Amino acid sequence: MKKILLVEDNAMILDNLSEILELEGYQTVLAKNGTEGLALTKTEKPGLILSDIDMPLMNGYEMLHEIRKDPEIHEIPIIFLSVKNHGQELLHGLQHGANAYICKPFGLNELLETVEEYFNK
């Protein structure tokens, strides 16, 4: 089964994303901040990470940086999900190692197509 780590501090969004992805046949692992996300990345070794950027304790950029410098997990694709949708923010995420960036609010088809694209690479 294809495993996705969801990192999001908004419990309602986290639960909704998990439910949607599980209905599509994915296994989800949930983290409510970057610190939990980093720890779960190391133990669960997901095939993909979907992460918010603005979170307590460790934000998405900090988590991304830590993942990219760890040789055991550095190749896991990371897709940011964020309301920060202006060009500078998108560019910043991609320049620092994110594989893609989906702006909130996003459509279900956009999310599922992007997720499947990374599992088919």
Side-chain angles (χ1 to χ4, degrees):
M1 184 177 282
K2 298 173 183 175
K3 187 187 305 185
I4 301 174
L5 172 63
L6 303 173
V7 187
E8 169 66 60
D9 62 325
N10 181 310
M12 188 166 60
I13 293 173
L14 188 64
D15 290 342
N16 287 341
L17 281 173
S18 178
E19 185 176 334
I20 288 166
L21 291 167
E22 287 182 0
L23 287 171
E24 293 294 321
Y26 297 100
Q27 177 186 355
T28 61
V29 179
L30 310 179
K32 56 185 179 261
N33 59 58
T35 302
E36 286 182 14
L38 178 60
L40 287 169
T41 300
K42 291 178 179 184
T43 59
E44 295 290 328
K45 306 275 193 304
L48 178 67
I49 299 168
L50 297 176
S51 178
D52 190 14
I53 294 174
D54 289 330
M55 297 177 289
L57 302 180
M58 177 185 285
N59 68 39
Y61 293 130
E62 294 165 331
M63 182 186 74
L64 171 68
H65 177 73
E66 293 300 315
I67 289 170
R68 292 298 181 242
K69 70 180 192 181
D70 186 325
E72 291 188 25
I73 57 176
H74 75 278
E75 292 186 8
I76 297 172
I78 298 174
I79 300 172
F80 279 138
L81 307 173
S82 181
V83 295
K84 294 183 174 190
N85 60 7
H86 57 288
Q88 276 299 101
E89 202 64 42
L90 277 84
L91 185 60
H92 180 77
L94 296 174
Q95 286 177 332
H96 286 87
N99 296 83
Y101 198 109
I102 299 176
C103 298
K104 295 176 186 175
F106 50 82
L108 180 59
N109 287 339
E110 177 185 10
L111 174 68
L112 295 176
E113 286 172 10
T114 304
V115 165
E116 194 57 33
E117 175 185 333
Y118 280 92
F119 277 113
N120 288 328
K121 285 189 174 185

